Amino acid sequence: SQQGEEDPQALSIQEGENATMNCSYKTSINNLQWYRQNSGRGLVHLILIRSNEREKHSGRLRVTLDTSKKSSSLLITASRAADTASYFCATNSGGYQKVTFGTGTKLQVIP
Amino acid sequence: GAVVSQHPSRVICKSGTSVKIECRSLDFQATTMFWYRQFPKQSLMLMATSNEGSKATYEQGVEKDKFLINHASLTLSTLTVTSAHPEDSSFYICSARAATAVRQETQYFGPGTRLLVL
């Protein structure tokens, strides 16, 4: 079953703008990860945030985690056309054995 | 580092035939590999978890006799779709988790295999 629900399902922005995607989940987690998938391709791991962390940065990416609300957000600043892809959150719980993916947000950055 | 490959990248087969997909960790040893299926415009759904040297653990609703998984070494897992039917057409993605404790939280994904059953 889907652990994460993401919104929006689709997002279209102009190059240079910031993009924010949200993920909500249902059960307690060990960590939450964000992945990017270009159309028809495999997944690229972007960033991992542990349950005891609240915010993490990596380049133009900023991830927040609110375990009380069971939600996370991914912010991409100064977006580029190359950021066009689908973004998935994935939660890891119960001994790291498996990761459950959210429904994904399809981001389009218009040059 | 942490590269995972899949072969083939794309396969077309006739209904009733079997198809084998390989997943290899190229520069690390993977104690655990995972197989996912992704239908168009949908998210990844975990099919099974494969541990080296032991039987795979299948998710509810996934037929173990139809999707045979073999994890014979720390760098190779195979998924065989037996007696494939058109409804098995999908994008199959594997991932691998490194044996070393430092990177054990992260899964590294292969590029995927697109299967089309005619």
Side-chain angles (χ1 to χ4, degrees):
Chain A
S1 62
Q2 294 279 9
Q3 163 76 309
E5 297 285 334
E6 293 177 64
D7 77 276
Q9 289 188 343
L11 179 62
S12 184
I13 59 174
Q14 295 290 329
E15 200 167 31
E17 293 180 339
N18 296 341
T20 300
M21 290 159 265
N22 302 296
C23 168
S24 60
Y25 56 92
K26 297 176 182 174
T27 63
S28 57
I29 60 172
N30 295 319
N31 62 59
L32 185 145
Q33 303 173 54
W34 285 90
Y35 290 85
R36 184 184 72 216
Q37 184 182 36
N38 290 87
S39 181
R41 308 290 290 274
L43 272 74
V44 175
H45 183 260
L46 296 176
I47 197 164
L48 178 153
I49 186 164
R50 296 187 179 87
S51 60
N52 61 351
E53 296 175 313
R54 292 295 167 259
E55 188 171 311
K56 210 161 183 180
H57 297 256
S58 177
R60 294 184 296 114
L61 306 179
R62 173 177 168 256
V63 168
T64 63
L65 178 64
D66 186 336
T67 53
S68 66
K69 294 181 180 178
K70 291 187 168 59
S71 68
S72 174
S73 68
L74 170 66
L75 167 68
I76 303 174
T77 60
S79 64
R80 304 167 182 168
D83 295 329
T84 294
S86 290
Y87 291 82
F88 294 92
C89 68
T91 54
N92 189 311
S93 56
Y96 304 104
Q97 187 64 359
K98 59 184 181 182
V99 163
T100 307
F101 281 84
T103 51
T105 294
K106 190 168 185 177
L107 172 66
Q108 181 185 28
V109 181
I110 303 168
Chain B
V3 177
V4 175
S5 70
Q6 277 184 244
H7 177 79
S9 58
R10 187 185 300 264
V11 57
I12 301 173
C13 70
K14 292 182 179 179
S15 186
T17 60
S18 294
V19 175
K20 180 186 281 189
I21 303 169
E22 291 185 350
C23 176
R24 292 181 185 272
S25 56
L26 298 185
D27 54 356
F28 66 99
Q29 292 185 325
T31 49
T32 306
M33 289 185 171
F34 304 86
W35 287 96
Y36 296 83
R37 181 168 51 185
Q38 185 181 32
F39 291 107
K41 298 183 180 179
Q42 293 188 25
S43 187
L44 280 74
M45 298 300 293
L46 180 66
M47 299 174 66
T49 301
S50 165
N51 290 296
E52 187 265 337
S54 62
K55 290 184 179 180
T57 302
Y58 290 81
E59 295 298 301
Q60 195 172 12
V62 179
E63 299 175 57
K64 62 180 181 181
D65 294 329
K66 180 169 182 63
F67 298 99
L68 301 178
I69 292 172
N70 184 16
H71 193 161
S73 76
L74 284 172
T75 59
L76 173 64
S77 176
T78 61
L79 168 68
T80 301
V81 183
T82 62
S83 187
H85 291 284
E87 57 266 29
D88 298 323
S89 298
S90 188
F91 193 51
Y92 291 87
I93 305 176
C94 74
S95 70
R97 195 175 70 200
T100 55
V102 172
R103 297 193 292 184
Q104 209 167 42
E105 294 174 302
T106 303
Q107 292 184 25
Y108 299 95
F109 283 80
T113 296
R114 185 155 310 276
L115 170 63
L116 177 61
V117 185
L118 302 176

